Amino acid sequence: MAKKGYSRIALAADHAGYQVKERIKETLQQEGFEVIDFGTHTAESVDYPDYAKLVAQSVSQAESDRGVLVCGTGLGMAITANKFRGIRAATCNDAYTARMAAEHTDANVLCVGARVVDADHAVAIVREWLKGKFGGGRHQRRIDKIAEIERAQPALPAR
Ligand code: RB5
């Protein structure tokens, strides 16, 4: 797996993604990445926002360079992670989308669905994302617009 300018990867899963998370962790470590594993560590039912939050905070605060989240579909993890400042989380259950997530949208968190793809496929998706090189140029202009939308969000009135 090609290593880029980053080497520390935050990783987490819920119960649905736990086993696939273990496979991804093993692969990343074998390939020289430092992995911060935020859990979960068993197949006991947990709530995905609790885990997405830990990875998103780690990436948002630059404790980690990138994040990987695994749940049943990759959806709940991405929805949660995208609530955090500076996070561009993408659900990718195929390799092409994962490559585009890196090259076009510079996704800093990858979310995978363990009920959609098997462990081998999930590992291939992570590899493809890590291989992708952000294209800059027009893609940078577009993600700058995303950041501007995030900055411009007014505080919600108290309910
Ligand atoms: C858990 O049953 C499931 O809802 C969760 O893993 C995920 O798929 C949510 O998006």
Side-chain angles (χ1 to χ4, degrees), residues 14-16 48 71-77 115:
D14 71 357
H15 53 288
Y48 59 80
C71 64
T73 57
L75 296 175
M77 289 297 201
R115 291 175 179 161

Side-chain angles (χ1 to χ4, degrees), residues 52-54 56-57 60 80-88 150:
K53 175 180 166 184
L54 298 173
Q57 280 174 337
S60 180
T80 309
N82 279 318
K83 301 294 180 196
F84 288 79
R85 216 175 296 282
I87 295 301
R88 292 179 301 281
E150 183 180 281

Side-chain angles (χ1 to χ4, degrees), residues 85 144-156:
R85 216 175 296 282
D144 286 346
K145 288 186 178 187
I146 297 172
E148 183 49 38
I149 289 166
E150 183 180 281
R151 269 193 298 275
Q153 284 298 299
L156 291 172

